[in-house]
């Protein structure tokens, strides 16, 4: 009876050792996965912030270019000025 009890205890202890080893492997994989994910998320966030800054800068430059183009279009689209008599519409009775 003692030998059977000792064998059963040995099997239970070995099962617990295997279970703890498997759990530690799973925890190690999950920890590594979370660490990699956290690191990559930080890098993606940093790159996104850099890209967002570049996009804002380019958008600001684009607004300035559009304003300059609008001014040039106004200057060259109609050479006649309001003080120029040829720019006034003809009189209805003439």
């Amino acid at each position: 009876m003692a030998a059977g009890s000792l064998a059963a205890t040995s099997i239970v202890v070995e099962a617990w050792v295997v279970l703890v080893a498997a759990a530690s492997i799973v925890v190690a994989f999950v920890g590594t996965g979370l660490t990699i994910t956290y690191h990559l998320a930080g890098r993606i966030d940093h790159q996104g912030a850099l890209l967002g800054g570049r996009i804002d800068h380019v958008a600001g430059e684009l607004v300035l270019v559009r304003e300059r183009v609008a001014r040039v279009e106004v200057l060259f689209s109609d050479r006649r000025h309001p003080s120029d008599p040829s720019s006034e519409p003809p009189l209805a009775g003439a």
Side-chain angles (χ1 to χ4, degrees):
M1 176 91 178
S5 175
L6 185 61
T9 303
S10 175
I11 290 173
V12 169
V13 168
E14 288 178 9
W16 273 106
V17 168
V18 170
L19 182 67
V20 168
S24 68
I25 291 171
V26 168
V27 167
F29 275 114
V30 169
T32 302
L34 289 175
T35 302
I36 291 170
T37 302
Y38 179 75
H39 180 71
L40 289 177
R43 290 193 53 132
I44 290 170
D45 187 42
H46 179 71
Q47 291 297 324
L50 289 177
L51 182 61
R54 288 187 204 135
I55 290 172
D56 291 341
H57 179 72
V58 170
E61 287 183 357
L62 185 61
V63 167
L64 292 175
V65 168
R66 284 182 179 166
E67 289 174 357
R68 290 177 186 147
V69 167
R71 280 190 237 135
V72 169
E73 285 178 346
V74 167
L75 286 174
F76 290 104
S77 67
D78 190 25
R79 288 288 200 172
R80 295 178 294 176
H81 297 287
S83 62
D84 188 5
S86 64
S87 67
E88 295 177 5
L91 296 175

